Amino acid sequence: MAKDKSLVIKSGSFMTDVQELRRRARSHIEQGAVTEGYRADVDTVLRVLNEALATEIVCVLRYKRHHYMAAGIHATAVAEEFLEHANAEQRHADQIAERITQLGGEPDLNPGNLVGRSHSEYVEGKGLIDMIREDLVAERIVIESYSEIIRFLGNDDPSSRRLMEETLAEEEDHANDLRTLIESLGLDRITRQG
Ligand SMILES: [Fe+2]
Ligand SMILES: [Fe+2]
């Protein structure tokens, strides 16, 4: 396998010549992970990743609010589910912020910009049903927007794309958890009417 690979590099038909790769890696080292081979428009990627970061932070805040409100009305199992999701969204936010810095950008955590940049909304919800339904709506928005981001990244930034794909898979799990929650609580008829 390794033998085949070196042959491919030598032939120059598949990969850039190894000497050229080494030369390029040595120039502009201040750009960190962004090499000359980086094919995406880094400014656009940074803007899109900052929107995803804002989306995650808004989701953390919404789930935290719902966690404490559900705990207050003794809906312990639902409160636990909300907390689990809040923690997952925080992890997503951290991973996206880290990727932004890898690309030489700055994570925008200015509270004043969060709602404007976020794709999902902060809806407090009036009761348990309302909260679960709003969370499901938010997850569905996130699923749509992350799918779009993944299509945009295509093959131009595989690491950002992989991060967003892994995040998307977890958001799909969240949506599924919420749907199951609605069913298990016998709320599906009520929510369908609303
Ligand atoms: Fe998330
Ligand atoms: Fe989520």
Side-chain angles (χ1 to χ4, degrees), residues 56 59 88-89 92 139 142 146 167 171 174:
E56 294 292 346
C59 287
E89 312 301 12
H92 297 163
E139 293 290 355
V142 171
Y146 288 3
T167 310
E171 310 301 4
H174 291 170

mmCIF file with all atom_site columns, all heavy atoms in Angstrom, residues 56 59 88-89 92 139 142 146 167 171 174, ligand 1:
data_model
loop_
_atom_site.group_PDB
_atom_site.id
_atom_site.type_symbol
_atom_site.label_atom_id
_atom_site.label_alt_id
_atom_site.label_comp_id
_atom_site.label_asym_id
_atom_site.label_entity_id
_atom_site.label_seq_id
_atom_site.pdbx_PDB_ins_code
_atom_site.Cartn_x
_atom_site.Cartn_y
_atom_site.Cartn_z
_atom_site.occupancy
_atom_site.B_iso_or_equiv
_atom_site.pdbx_formal_charge
_atom_site.auth_seq_id
_atom_site.auth_comp_id
_atom_site.auth_asym_id
_atom_site.auth_atom_id
_atom_site.pdbx_PDB_model_num
ATOM   1  N  N   . GLU A 1 56  ? -25.504 27.119 18.026 1.00 0.00 ? 56  GLU A N   1
ATOM   2  C  CA  . GLU A 1 56  ? -25.276 26.184 19.137 1.00 0.00 ? 56  GLU A CA  1
ATOM   3  C  C   . GLU A 1 56  ? -25.461 26.872 20.494 1.00 0.00 ? 56  GLU A C   1
ATOM   4  O  O   . GLU A 1 56  ? -26.077 26.308 21.394 1.00 0.00 ? 56  GLU A O   1
ATOM   5  C  CB  . GLU A 1 56  ? -23.873 25.575 19.055 1.00 0.00 ? 56  GLU A CB  1
ATOM   6  C  CG  . GLU A 1 56  ? -23.649 24.677 17.842 1.00 0.00 ? 56  GLU A CG  1
ATOM   7  C  CD  . GLU A 1 56  ? -24.464 23.386 17.888 1.00 0.00 ? 56  GLU A CD  1
ATOM   8  O  OE1 . GLU A 1 56  ? -25.002 23.035 18.960 1.00 0.00 ? 56  GLU A OE1 1
ATOM   9  O  OE2 . GLU A 1 56  ? -24.565 22.732 16.838 1.00 0.00 ? 56  GLU A OE2 1
ATOM   10 N  N   . CYS A 1 59  ? -28.991 27.359 21.251 1.00 0.00 ? 59  CYS A N   1
ATOM   11 C  CA  . CYS A 1 59  ? -29.577 26.062 21.627 1.00 0.00 ? 59  CYS A CA  1
ATOM   12 C  C   . CYS A 1 59  ? -29.212 25.691 23.072 1.00 0.00 ? 59  CYS A C   1
ATOM   13 O  O   . CYS A 1 59  ? -30.049 25.162 23.806 1.00 0.00 ? 59  CYS A O   1
ATOM   14 C  CB  . CYS A 1 59  ? -29.123 24.962 20.665 1.00 0.00 ? 59  CYS A CB  1
ATOM   15 S  SG  . CYS A 1 59  ? -29.907 25.083 19.033 1.00 0.00 ? 59  CYS A SG  1
ATOM   16 N  N   . ALA A 1 88  ? -24.712 18.591 25.122 1.00 0.00 ? 88  ALA A N   1
ATOM   17 C  CA  . ALA A 1 88  ? -24.246 18.216 23.774 1.00 0.00 ? 88  ALA A CA  1
ATOM   18 C  C   . ALA A 1 88  ? -24.056 19.468 22.919 1.00 0.00 ? 88  ALA A C   1
ATOM   19 O  O   . ALA A 1 88  ? -23.056 19.602 22.204 1.00 0.00 ? 88  ALA A O   1
ATOM   20 C  CB  . ALA A 1 88  ? -25.249 17.266 23.116 1.00 0.00 ? 88  ALA A CB  1
ATOM   21 N  N   . GLU A 1 89  ? -24.987 20.416 23.004 1.00 0.00 ? 89  GLU A N   1
ATOM   22 C  CA  . GLU A 1 89  ? -24.888 21.647 22.205 1.00 0.00 ? 89  GLU A CA  1
ATOM   23 C  C   . GLU A 1 89  ? -23.653 22.461 22.632 1.00 0.00 ? 89  GLU A C   1
ATOM   24 O  O   . GLU A 1 89  ? -22.985 23.057 21.800 1.00 0.00 ? 89  GLU A O   1
ATOM   25 C  CB  . GLU A 1 89  ? -26.148 22.519 22.314 1.00 0.00 ? 89  GLU A CB  1
ATOM   26 C  CG  . GLU A 1 89  ? -27.487 21.815 22.138 1.00 0.00 ? 89  GLU A CG  1
ATOM   27 C  CD  . GLU A 1 89  ? -27.707 21.091 20.824 1.00 0.00 ? 89  GLU A CD  1
ATOM   28 O  OE1 . GLU A 1 89  ? -26.776 20.890 20.041 1.00 0.00 ? 89  GLU A OE1 1
ATOM   29 O  OE2 . GLU A 1 89  ? -28.871 20.701 20.593 1.00 0.00 ? 89  GLU A OE2 1
ATOM   30 N  N   . HIS A 1 92  ? -20.743 20.898 20.993 1.00 0.00 ? 92  HIS A N   1
ATOM   31 C  CA  . HIS A 1 92  ? -20.707 21.296 19.577 1.00 0.00 ? 92  HIS A CA  1
ATOM   32 C  C   . HIS A 1 92  ? -20.127 22.698 19.442 1.00 0.00 ? 92  HIS A C   1
ATOM   33 O  O   . HIS A 1 92  ? -19.303 22.960 18.571 1.00 0.00 ? 92  HIS A O   1
ATOM   34 C  CB  . HIS A 1 92  ? -22.120 21.291 18.963 1.00 0.00 ? 92  HIS A CB  1
ATOM   35 C  CG  . HIS A 1 92  ? -22.765 19.943 18.949 1.00 0.00 ? 92  HIS A CG  1
ATOM   36 N  ND1 . HIS A 1 92  ? -24.110 19.770 18.770 1.00 0.00 ? 92  HIS A ND1 1
ATOM   37 C  CD2 . HIS A 1 92  ? -22.240 18.700 19.089 1.00 0.00 ? 92  HIS A CD2 1
ATOM   38 C  CE1 . HIS A 1 92  ? -24.393 18.483 18.802 1.00 0.00 ? 92  HIS A CE1 1
ATOM   39 N  NE2 . HIS A 1 92  ? -23.279 17.810 18.995 1.00 0.00 ? 92  HIS A NE2 1
ATOM   40 N  N   . GLU A 1 139 ? -34.390 21.918 16.406 1.00 0.00 ? 139 GLU A N   1
ATOM   41 C  CA  . GLU A 1 139 ? -33.510 20.858 15.883 1.00 0.00 ? 139 GLU A CA  1
ATOM   42 C  C   . GLU A 1 139 ? -33.727 20.679 14.389 1.00 0.00 ? 139 GLU A C   1
ATOM   43 O  O   . GLU A 1 139 ? -32.775 20.459 13.640 1.00 0.00 ? 139 GLU A O   1
ATOM   44 C  CB  . GLU A 1 139 ? -33.764 19.528 16.610 1.00 0.00 ? 139 GLU A CB  1
ATOM   45 C  CG  . GLU A 1 139 ? -33.374 19.519 18.082 1.00 0.00 ? 139 GLU A CG  1
ATOM   46 C  CD  . GLU A 1 139 ? -31.866 19.554 18.334 1.00 0.00 ? 139 GLU A CD  1
ATOM   47 O  OE1 . GLU A 1 139 ? -31.094 19.486 17.354 1.00 0.00 ? 139 GLU A OE1 1
ATOM   48 O  OE2 . GLU A 1 139 ? -31.472 19.662 19.498 1.00 0.00 ? 139 GLU A OE2 1
ATOM   49 N  N   . VAL A 1 142 ? -31.940 23.367 12.598 1.00 0.00 ? 142 VAL A N   1
ATOM   50 C  CA  . VAL A 1 142 ? -30.498 23.104 12.637 1.00 0.00 ? 142 VAL A CA  1
ATOM   51 C  C   . VAL A 1 142 ? -30.122 22.008 11.620 1.00 0.00 ? 142 VAL A C   1
ATOM   52 O  O   . VAL A 1 142 ? -29.125 22.130 10.902 1.00 0.00 ? 142 VAL A O   1
ATOM   53 C  CB  . VAL A 1 142 ? -30.066 22.714 14.078 1.00 0.00 ? 142 VAL A CB  1
ATOM   54 C  CG1 . VAL A 1 142 ? -28.631 22.219 14.100 1.00 0.00 ? 142 VAL A CG1 1
ATOM   55 C  CG2 . VAL A 1 142 ? -30.219 23.905 15.022 1.00 0.00 ? 142 VAL A CG2 1
ATOM   56 N  N   . TYR A 1 146 ? -27.460 22.843 8.773  1.00 0.00 ? 146 TYR A N   1
ATOM   57 C  CA  . TYR A 1 146 ? -26.171 22.136 8.760  1.00 0.00 ? 146 TYR A CA  1
ATOM   58 C  C   . TYR A 1 146 ? -26.026 21.291 7.485  1.00 0.00 ? 146 TYR A C   1
ATOM   59 O  O   . TYR A 1 146 ? -24.918 21.150 6.961  1.00 0.00 ? 146 TYR A O   1
ATOM   60 C  CB  . TYR A 1 146 ? -25.992 21.266 10.008 1.00 0.00 ? 146 TYR A CB  1
ATOM   61 C  CG  . TYR A 1 146 ? -25.748 22.079 11.267 1.00 0.00 ? 146 TYR A CG  1
ATOM   62 C  CD1 . TYR A 1 146 ? -25.768 23.474 11.238 1.00 0.00 ? 146 TYR A CD1 1
ATOM   63 C  CD2 . TYR A 1 146 ? -25.476 21.477 12.482 1.00 0.00 ? 146 TYR A CD2 1
ATOM   64 C  CE1 . TYR A 1 146 ? -25.551 24.222 12.379 1.00 0.00 ? 146 TYR A CE1 1
ATOM   65 C  CE2 . TYR A 1 146 ? -25.248 22.225 13.632 1.00 0.00 ? 146 TYR A CE2 1
ATOM   66 C  CZ  . TYR A 1 146 ? -25.300 23.588 13.577 1.00 0.00 ? 146 TYR A CZ  1
ATOM   67 O  OH  . TYR A 1 146 ? -25.090 24.334 14.720 1.00 0.00 ? 146 TYR A OH  1
ATOM   68 N  N   . THR A 1 167 ? -21.704 16.619 13.806 1.00 0.00 ? 167 THR A N   1
ATOM   69 C  CA  . THR A 1 167 ? -22.658 17.427 14.575 1.00 0.00 ? 167 THR A CA  1
ATOM   70 C  C   . THR A 1 167 ? -24.076 17.178 14.069 1.00 0.00 ? 167 THR A C   1
ATOM   71 O  O   . THR A 1 167 ? -24.996 16.977 14.860 1.00 0.00 ? 167 THR A O   1
ATOM   72 C  CB  . THR A 1 167 ? -22.292 18.928 14.457 1.00 0.00 ? 167 THR A CB  1
ATOM   73 O  OG1 . THR A 1 167 ? -20.910 19.073 14.761 1.00 0.00 ? 167 THR A OG1 1
ATOM   74 C  CG2 . THR A 1 167 ? -23.083 19.784 15.411 1.00 0.00 ? 167 THR A CG2 1
ATOM   75 N  N   . GLU A 1 171 ? -27.551 16.066 15.955 1.00 0.00 ? 171 GLU A N   1
ATOM   76 C  CA  . GLU A 1 171 ? -28.792 16.862 15.932 1.00 0.00 ? 171 GLU A CA  1
ATOM   77 C  C   . GLU A 1 171 ? -29.973 15.985 15.485 1.00 0.00 ? 171 GLU A C   1
ATOM   78 O  O   . GLU A 1 171 ? -31.084 16.132 15.977 1.00 0.00 ? 171 GLU A O   1
ATOM   79 C  CB  . GLU A 1 171 ? -28.671 18.078 15.003 1.00 0.00 ? 171 GLU A CB  1
ATOM   80 C  CG  . GLU A 1 171 ? -27.437 18.957 15.182 1.00 0.00 ? 171 GLU A CG  1
ATOM   81 C  CD  . GLU A 1 171 ? -27.272 19.558 16.566 1.00 0.00 ? 171 GLU A CD  1
ATOM   82 O  OE1 . GLU A 1 171 ? -28.068 19.260 17.459 1.00 0.00 ? 171 GLU A OE1 1
ATOM   83 O  OE2 . GLU A 1 171 ? -26.314 20.336 16.738 1.00 0.00 ? 171 GLU A OE2 1
ATOM   84 N  N   . HIS A 1 174 ? -31.041 14.137 18.413 1.00 0.00 ? 174 HIS A N   1
ATOM   85 C  CA  . HIS A 1 174 ? -31.815 14.999 19.310 1.00 0.00 ? 174 HIS A CA  1
ATOM   86 C  C   . HIS A 1 174 ? -33.273 15.088 18.844 1.00 0.00 ? 174 HIS A C   1
ATOM   87 O  O   . HIS A 1 174 ? -34.195 14.977 19.641 1.00 0.00 ? 174 HIS A O   1
ATOM   88 C  CB  . HIS A 1 174 ? -31.231 16.422 19.359 1.00 0.00 ? 174 HIS A CB  1
ATOM   89 C  CG  . HIS A 1 174 ? -29.902 16.494 20.050 1.00 0.00 ? 174 HIS A CG  1
ATOM   90 N  ND1 . HIS A 1 174 ? -29.115 17.624 20.034 1.00 0.00 ? 174 HIS A ND1 1
ATOM   91 C  CD2 . HIS A 1 174 ? -29.235 15.575 20.784 1.00 0.00 ? 174 HIS A CD2 1
ATOM   92 C  CE1 . HIS A 1 174 ? -28.012 17.387 20.733 1.00 0.00 ? 174 HIS A CE1 1
ATOM   93 N  NE2 . HIS A 1 174 ? -28.054 16.150 21.186 1.00 0.00 ? 174 HIS A NE2 1
HETATM 94 FE FE  . FE  B 2 .   ? -25.719 21.160 18.396 1.00 0.00 ? 1   FE  B FE  1
#
